Amino acid sequence: EAGVAQSPRYKIIEKRQSVAFWCNPISGHATLYWYQQILGQGPKLLIQFQNNGVVDDSQLPKDRFSAERLKGVDSTLKIQPAKLEDSAVYLCASSLPGTGFREQYFGPGTRLTVT
Amino acid sequence: AQSVTQLDSQVPVFEEAPVELRCNYSSSVSVYLFWYVQYPNQGLQLLLKYLSGSTLVKGINGFEAEFNKSQTSFHLRKPSVHISDTAEYFCAVSLNTGGFKTIFGAGTRLFVKA
């Protein structure tokens, strides 16, 4: 079974530029998560989707970050414009649908460096 | 508000020695508890989880953890570590509400020396 796919793996941009990350979850996983992991910190949830609907985006900086999951499968996270403090690893995870706890499976992440 | 505190940022240990990585949490609602491992340039992998039942849970790679409700702790242990256990370990809690939002600790870097 293929895991969670993310691209690109690495990205270097200058501040004020825009950037987009892509995630393809495990087949059949209705729930998709985007996390931001700053160096030396644990992952922080940015947004959670259930199919193509948003479940939680309370920690997403909506003035510069946006995410979509139009067909309920793959997802794109965008930053526009980027700031130096956005340098981090962006992790995508997915889980099966249903009530109760469902294990999250993580992709390898995209390492973003903003200069 | 819920929070997770990992008491050690780095733990150096010799190969075949026992290790304990400490984790404390605070929450006003019931939670599920987890330990994840992250190898360099990889995503997180679930080591073990506590949902209910026995407070001693066993995971992959010989790790185990004990849930202590009175001390709000969930320490990770392994009786004998290997070089290959060198990695970052994250303790996490998932709120037993709605979307089961997961909150991670800052991580503990385990460094196993030969």
Side-chain angles (χ1 to χ4, degrees), chain A residues 9 37 42-43 48 101 103-104 107, chain B residues 34 38 41 43 46 90 102 105:
Chain A
R9 291 294 312 276
Q37 185 179 13
Q48 177 181 343
F101 168 75
E103 180 178 343
Q104 295 182 40
Chain B
F34 312 88
Q38 187 176 34
N41 298 315
L46 183 64
F90 292 95
T102 303

Side-chain angles (χ1 to χ4, degrees), chain A residues 72-95:
Chain A
V73 181
D74 55 352
S75 176
T76 302
L77 177 70
K78 297 179 182 178
I79 307 175
Q80 181 179 14
K83 293 185 176 181
L84 295 176
E85 58 261 36
D86 298 331
S87 293
V89 175
Y90 291 85
L91 295 166
C92 179
S94 68
S95 64

Side-chain angles (χ1 to χ4, degrees), chain A residues 1-6 22-33 69 72-75 92-95 105 107:
Chain A
E1 178 182 83
V4 176
Q6 292 188 246
W22 175 83
C23 171
N24 188 264
I26 294 172
S27 178
H29 283 199
T31 309
L32 185 146
Y33 315 77
R69 195 184 183 200
V73 181
D74 55 352
S75 176
C92 179
S94 68
S95 64
Y105 295 82

Side-chain angles (χ1 to χ4, degrees), chain A:
Chain A
E1 178 182 83
V4 176
Q6 292 188 246
S7 68
R9 291 294 312 276
Y10 305 91
K11 189 74 176 179
I12 301 174
I13 61 172
E14 296 181 351
K15 60 184 179 184
R16 292 187 289 273
Q17 287 186 323
S18 61
V19 65
F21 313 128
W22 175 83
C23 171
N24 188 264
I26 294 172
S27 178
H29 283 199
T31 309
L32 185 146
Y33 315 77
W34 282 103
Y35 289 88
Q36 180 191 57
Q37 185 179 13
I38 294 173
L39 185 65
Q41 299 180 21
K44 181 183 79 172
L45 180 69
L46 292 176
I47 189 167
Q48 177 181 343
F49 291 96
Q50 178 75 19
N51 295 308
N52 59 352
V54 175
V55 174
D56 184 345
D57 64 355
S58 58
Q59 297 191 95
L60 186 73
K62 298 180 184 64
D63 59 332
R64 298 184 300 106
F65 286 66
S66 64
E68 59 183 15
R69 195 184 183 200
L70 294 176
K71 297 182 179 179
V73 181
D74 55 352
S75 176
T76 302
L77 177 70
K78 297 179 182 178
I79 307 175
Q80 181 179 14
K83 293 185 176 181
L84 295 176
E85 58 261 36
D86 298 331
S87 293
V89 175
Y90 291 85
L91 295 166
C92 179
S94 68
S95 64
L96 286 166
T99 57
F101 168 75
R102 293 289 183 270
E103 180 178 343
Q104 295 182 40
Y105 295 82
F106 285 81
T110 296
R111 182 177 299 275
L112 173 68
T113 302
V114 183
T115 63

